């Protein structure tokens, strides 16, 4: 279904994971519990009003109305969002009546039907079936898609027996059915909002609807939330100006717009060819080329404005070019100096969602001294740093306030395109995006002046 992508030191997580909502929901709730947070079930947002100081929401909890005052609201309430509608955001686009799908989870067994592969039967235009094994349902669980103009999908979606009959007619082997766990009739809508916020109220995830052929929905929603989350945290704590929040729409709208174009193109190719797998690419599915090089708050002193190209938010997945606004690559087997024992780590192990991470690539520790001094002005809880030395560097003794790493196998210097003898500073944002690539202290100050108050 998707062209394979081999792992590399810079891209260790190369394969995407298909996961049902019921399992993902459990994972997310358990993670929230670590921060003493919980999801309140049976609670509905009816309306809200905002002012300069905060937002007042009217909730219905188990049928009882209550008022809740808060500083901010983030509406992650999907394509039928109450928040989006009350903010008056446009939701322009089209509804594709020519594309209907019945999807759901089902329990069945089939002679010779292995669970190692994703199975496609029939034709996308006429009558077809997609079956993907999923142990989340049961040992005999499958996710299914039924599609094609020759099928009465509206009628099929109302009857478990018709689902059984249709699937049996499409699979050339003996099938034993147990039950349909759930199913839904899907019609292709291609729409998106015109902006992601107004005042103290934001929308995230589900603020676009698109063809399921791209499998981008959940991932794009998580990216929305991560992009907003670190910025909102800084503003809420009084560490950044509210204008930082305006970059949420600036950085995410081009990505969502391009995603709609790409998933619609795949849908069009599938309807033209009858092949559901037509037009798919690893760039789209893995989403590793997504960038915000065009953002007003990223800084790259190694790329001039003349060299900057038109917005290409999905980018090109490759390890031969790196700019501010790109996803920060990984590097394994980094030797950590200065402790009682020599430990190894990865660059991904350094990055966390609650602070910026500065990587200072220098030929020697002495070359990093002036940058260390400049970093003293920043709170360690929001900015941390590491000096990255080449394998040839002499590090007999380490006495520095920073983390010192030796790139023994050259993975970091290769992934970050740093040449021998060069000093190059990378600022990695809390969301894993390269915020800045600069020569030294002045570049660091210039980048943070757009992020922090009084920087």
């Amino acid at each position: 279904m998707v062209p394979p992508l081999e792992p590399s030191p810079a891209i260790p997580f190369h394969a995407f994971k298909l996961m049902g909502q019921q399992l993902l929901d459990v994972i997310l709730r358990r993670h929230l519990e670590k921060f003493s947070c919980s999801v309140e079930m049976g609670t509905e947002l009816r309306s809200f009003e905002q002012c300069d100081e905060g937002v007042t929401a009217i909730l219905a909890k188990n049928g009882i109305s209550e008022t809740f005052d808060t500083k901010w609201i983030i509406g992650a309430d999907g394509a039928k969002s109450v928040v989006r509608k009350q903010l008056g955001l446009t939701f322009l686009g089209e509804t594709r009546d020519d594309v209907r799908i019945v999807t759901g989870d089902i329990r069945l067994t089939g002679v010779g039907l292995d669970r190692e592969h994703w199975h496609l039967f029939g034709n996308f235009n006429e009558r077809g079936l997609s079956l993907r094994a999923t142990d989340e349902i049961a040992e005999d669980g499958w996710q299914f898609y039924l599609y094609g103009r020759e099928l009465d999908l509206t009628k099929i979606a109302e009857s478990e027996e018709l689902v059984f009959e249709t699937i049996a007619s499409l699979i050339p082997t003996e099938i034993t059915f147990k039950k349909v766990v759930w199913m839904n009739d899907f019609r292709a809508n291609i729409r998106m909002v015109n902006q992601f916020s107004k005042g103290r109220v934001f929308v995230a995830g589900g603020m676009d609807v698109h063809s399921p052929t791209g499998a981008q929905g959940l991932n794009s929603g998580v990216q929305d939330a991560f992009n907003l989350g670190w910025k909102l945290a800084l503003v809420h704590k009084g560490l950044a100006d509210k204008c930082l929040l305006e970059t949420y729409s600036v950085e995410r709208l081009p990505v969502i717009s391009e995603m709609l174009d790409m998933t619609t193109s795949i849908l069009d190719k599938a309807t033209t060819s009858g092949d559901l797998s037509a037009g798919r690419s690893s760039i789209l599915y893995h989403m590793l080329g997504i960038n915000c090089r065009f953002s007003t708050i990223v800084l790259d002193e190694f790329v001039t404005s003349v060299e900057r190209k038109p917005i290409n938010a999905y980018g090109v997945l490759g390890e031969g070019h790196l700019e501010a606004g790109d996803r920060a690559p990984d590097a394994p087997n980094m030797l950590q100096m200065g402790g009682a024992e020599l430990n190894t780590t990865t660059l991904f192990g350094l990055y966390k969602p609650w602070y910026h991470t500065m990587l200072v690539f220098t030929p020697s520790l002495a070359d990093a001294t002036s940058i260390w001094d400049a970093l003293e002005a920043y709170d360690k809880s929001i900015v941390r740093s590491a000096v990255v030395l080449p394998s040839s560097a002499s590090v007999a003794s380490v006495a520095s306030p920073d983390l010192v790493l030796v790139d023994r196998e050259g993975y970091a210097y290769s992934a970050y395109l740093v040449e021998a003898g060069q000093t190059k500073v990378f600022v990695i944002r809390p969301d894993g995006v390269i915020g800045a690539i600069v020569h030294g202290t002045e570049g660091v100050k210039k980048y943070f002046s757009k992020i922090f108050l009084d920087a």
Side-chain angles (χ1 to χ4, degrees):
M1 292 293 287
V2 184
L5 179 68
E6 293 299 320
S8 70
I11 307 175
F13 307 112
H14 64 290
F16 62 86
K17 172 72 174 177
L18 294 168
M19 185 182 300
Q21 184 173 334
Q22 67 275 22
L23 177 59
L24 180 63
D25 189 70
V26 171
I27 293 172
L28 294 177
R29 286 171 189 255
R30 286 178 179 172
H31 187 68
L32 278 175
E33 289 171 0
K34 297 177 183 177
F35 303 92
S36 300
C37 295
S38 62
V39 178
E40 293 188 26
M41 304 302 290
T43 305
E44 176 188 359
L45 174 67
R46 291 288 178 84
S47 64
F48 60 85
E49 292 184 0
Q50 62 173 311
C51 61
D52 291 340
E53 289 73 36
V55 189
T56 298
I58 305 300
L59 307 175
K61 188 173 178 65
N62 297 319
I64 301 174
S65 181
E66 64 177 65
T67 300
F68 181 78
D69 292 322
T70 183
K71 290 293 185 182
W72 318 90
I73 283 182
I74 302 174
D77 47 347
K80 298 180 180 179
S81 171
V82 172
V83 175
R84 171 182 61 79
K85 292 174 182 177
Q86 187 162 333
L87 282 180
L89 305 182
T90 63
F91 205 43
L92 300 178
E94 63 173 328
T95 298
R96 294 281 294 270
D97 290 319
D98 61 323
V99 180
R100 296 183 79 100
I101 296 172
V102 174
T103 183
D105 291 331
I106 193 170
R107 295 182 63 183
L108 61 82
T109 55
V111 177
L113 194 65
D114 73 84
R115 299 180 64 79
E116 299 296 321
H117 298 88
W118 192 325
H119 301 274
L120 297 178
F121 303 93
N123 182 284
F124 185 75
N125 286 332
E126 297 162 2
R127 45 190 288 128
L129 165 69
S130 164
L131 272 183
R132 179 184 66 85
T134 169
D135 293 335
E136 299 165 16
I137 306 302
E139 292 182 354
D140 56 357
W142 300 80
Q143 181 187 41
F144 74 91
Y145 290 89
L146 285 167
Y147 38 79
R149 290 188 294 268
E150 294 180 5
L151 299 177
D152 188 343
L153 295 171
T154 301
K155 192 174 181 180
I156 290 172
E158 297 173 352
S159 169
E160 183 179 67
E161 286 302 316
L162 283 178
V163 170
F164 292 165
E165 290 177 13
T166 306
I167 291 177
S169 71
L170 286 161
I171 301 179
T173 189
E174 182 181 342
I175 301 294
T176 301
F177 294 97
K178 190 164 187 179
K179 69 173 182 177
V180 172
V181 179
W182 72 271
M183 62 178 165
N184 190 32
D185 182 13
F186 172 86
R187 182 173 56 172
N189 283 279
I190 303 164
R191 303 177 184 276
M192 67 176 288
V193 294
N194 60 322
Q195 62 189 87
F196 277 27
S197 66
K198 278 189 179 180
R200 290 178 169 269
V201 183
F202 306 83
V203 291
M207 295 308 115
D208 60 279
V209 289
H210 54 87
S211 136
T213 50
Q216 304 289 280
L218 170 65
N219 292 331
S220 61
V222 170
Q223 291 169 13
D224 288 346
F226 211 164
N227 187 289
L228 172 62
W230 71 270
K231 298 171 183 176
L232 185 57
L234 289 177
V235 173
H236 184 71
K237 293 174 182 177
L239 299 172
D241 189 89
K242 283 180 65 176
C243 65
L244 180 63
L245 300 175
E246 297 173 6
T247 65
Y248 172 44
S249 285
V250 170
E251 292 184 350
R252 291 303 297 164
L253 279 174
V255 175
I256 299 304
S257 177
E258 196 163 322
M259 186 224 357
L260 287 180
D261 289 342
M262 296 177 76
T263 54
T264 302
S265 175
I266 293 174
L267 178 63
D268 290 340
K269 289 177 182 177
T271 55
T272 299
S273 66
D275 181 2
L276 186 61
S277 63
R280 297 170 183 244
S281 72
S282 59
I283 293 175
L284 174 68
Y285 274 86
H286 296 287
M287 305 179 82
L288 296 177
I290 288 178
N291 65 85
C292 57
R293 296 176 180 178
F294 49 86
S295 174
T296 55
I297 58 170
V298 302
L299 174 64
D300 196 323
E301 292 183 342
F302 292 84
V303 177
T304 67
S305 58
V306 177
E307 292 175 307
R308 286 197 176 275
K309 301 169 183 164
I311 291 176
N312 179 14
Y314 260 72
V316 176
L317 182 59
E319 299 177 30
H321 191 74
L322 194 66
E323 292 184 27
D326 289 350
R327 161 196 167 276
D330 194 15
N333 300 326
M334 305 294 293
L335 184 63
Q336 183 175 331
M337 307 299 294
E341 297 181 2
L342 296 180
N343 299 313
T344 60
T345 186
T346 66
L347 291 185
F348 277 2
L350 304 182
Y351 308 151
K352 293 294 184 288
W354 55 88
Y355 56 73
H356 280 75
T357 304
M358 278 186 46
L359 297 181
V360 184
F361 287 81
T362 59
S364 68
L365 284 175
D367 294 305
T369 303
S370 63
I371 301 174
W372 282 340
D373 294 340
L375 283 174
E376 291 299 315
Y378 302 108
D379 189 329
K380 294 283 186 185
S381 67
I382 55 174
V383 178
R384 299 191 186 181
S385 62
V387 175
V388 183
L389 301 175
S391 59
S392 59
S394 175
V395 284
S397 62
V398 174
S400 78
D402 295 67
L403 177 65
V404 177
L405 303 173
V406 177
D407 187 17
R408 293 187 299 178
E409 299 179 51
Y411 292 135
Y413 273 73
S414 174
Y416 285 78
L417 306 180
V418 181
E419 299 174 0
Q422 186 179 33
T423 295
K424 206 170 186 179
V425 182
F426 294 78
V427 184
I428 314 302
R429 305 189 330 186
D431 57 0
V433 170
I434 299 174
I437 306 177
V438 296
H439 293 282
T441 302
E442 292 307 311
V444 171
K445 291 179 179 179
K446 185 176 180 181
Y447 168 75
F448 282 128
S449 70
K450 298 181 179 181
I451 306 297
F452 300 127
L453 287 171
D454 304 322

